[in-house]
Amino acid sequence: MVTINGKDIHKLVVACDAGMGSSVMLAGTLRKQLGKSHVTVEHTAVRSIPADADMVVCHEGLAARVRSAAPGKPVVPFQIFLGDPAITRVVEAIQQGTDLDV
């Protein structure tokens, strides 16, 4: 397990398999929720995760692929695209500047 402080997350990437659909909606929702923070939210395919990403969120079915594509990056898998507790914890850690265990 890795611990990262919300203050240290500057680029949050929502990784997906194909590049369209629910993950795009999640990225938009995160941009709105984090609009007043210091965080940039990007949406990208698993194969295109940028090297400067501080954290990657993805559907739990993609987590192993994301970890292979972005070794050393904190990965937060989630089960549902909207309202998932894992995503809520990420948003709260960023907004409050608290630690997040991933």
Side-chain angles (χ1 to χ4, degrees):
M1 190 173 299
V2 174
T3 300
I4 186 168
N5 189 282
K7 293 177 186 176
D8 296 328
I9 301 170
H10 302 285
K11 183 182 278 189
L12 176 65
V13 173
V14 179
C16 69
D17 196 22
M20 291 296 177
S22 300
S23 57
V24 172
M25 191 169 55
L26 174 59
T29 299
L30 287 170
R31 281 186 199 100
K32 288 178 186 174
Q33 291 176 335
L34 299 172
K36 295 181 181 181
S37 71
H38 59 279
V39 176
T40 301
V41 178
E42 292 186 7
H43 175 263
T44 185
V46 171
R47 67 183 178 283
S48 301
I49 296 170
D52 62 343
D54 295 307
M55 176 176 283
V56 182
V57 298
C58 65
H59 189 270
E60 66 183 5
L62 297 174
R65 285 182 49 207
V66 169
R67 288 185 179 104
S68 292
K73 301 287 181 194
V75 176
V76 177
F78 59 86
Q79 294 180 2
I80 55 176
F81 284 91
L82 297 176
D84 192 286
I87 300 297
T88 301
R89 285 194 326 270
V90 170
V91 170
E92 289 174 352
I94 291 169
Q95 291 173 334
Q96 298 169 9
T98 56
D99 287 343
L100 179 66
D101 295 324
V102 296

